[in-house]
Amino acid sequence: MSSGKYTLVNGTFIPTEEYRISREESDAILFTERIRAVRTAFPFFSETLERIKLELLVFNQSFAEFTDLDGKGLKRQLERTLTKNKQFMGAILTIQFRLLNQKIQYTIQSEKLDTADYELNEKGLYIDIFDQVQKPAASLSNLSLGSAVYWSIVRNYLYGAPVDQLLLVNTEDLVIEAPQSNIYLITGDRIRGASCEQGAYLDISQLLLLELFSKLNLNYSENEGITIEDLRKADEIMIVNAIEGIRWVVGFEGKRYFNNTIRKISDSFTKGFIS
């Protein structure tokens, strides 16, 4: 990915290479959200908007400039950023909110993707379990606000590891997520996931996935929790988020996984975002 040459700062474009933030601005960061652009569309825009509203509410803040009129202002600034950076195909936009002098401020940065559309990875991911730090179930554990520190820890352990991704477990040793992603186990026509009650992050892609599961006559459940032994017994495993889409897991320990059902889910997932 290549970063855009311009960063949008409170409505004004600044060359990215010249953009700097002060220590005061760094300390004022509230949260960050990302959204993907597929050509001229923003998949999961309404879901991202609702997530932004919720996170602002957590901090007892509002920002009508972005959230009123179904997010018209936010979408306009996202479009301006893509146009200024001439990124008209696939891109990821990062929106950062700060509270400085009791006023909401924001930046929007963009990165160009190598491919415009969501694509299933042809080379499957190898995964392992990260259990040095367990993520507890808490009031914010389903949001990035309550999960980001755990993701950061996992990423540091991933450097130099012989796998592509590490999975987090909760205080009951149940597998709950990958960084910024939900995990799904497929066995026959049954799909299992992890619940917010177990401490799992809730990615905004899940509502769409539940619709796709139903259309494909797949039965979804997240009540039982996912054990490490469940990973070993699954036919297929996928990791999903709204930015990267569906990623197929090929191996865990000595087990290898198929992707027959995952391909069907991925085809349906991608179809809705191709213009």
Side-chain angles (χ1 to χ4, degrees), residues 13 24 38 45 73 86 120 132 138 159 183 193 218 247 255:
F13 285 107
E24 183 182 25
V38 176
F45 177 81
K86 299 180 180 179
L120 181 65
Q132 283 87 339
Y159 292 131
I183 182 168
L218 299 169
R247 289 169 291 162
K255 178 69 182 285

Side-chain angles (χ1 to χ4, degrees), residues 8 29-36 45 48-49 52 55 63 66 74-75 77-78 81 92-98 105-110:
L8 185 64
I29 294 173
L30 295 180
F31 62 92
T32 300
E33 280 293 337
R34 299 189 302 163
I35 187 168
R36 179 165 177 163
F45 177 81
T48 302
L49 178 63
I52 288 172
E55 290 173 319
F63 192 50
F66 273 9
L74 171 59
K75 183 174 290 187
Q77 300 306 333
L78 295 173
T81 303
I92 295 174
L93 297 110
T94 301
I95 314 156
Q96 190 170 81
F97 292 88
R98 298 183 181 87
Q105 299 186 2
Y106 70 91
T107 61
I108 300 178
Q109 296 176 307
S110 64

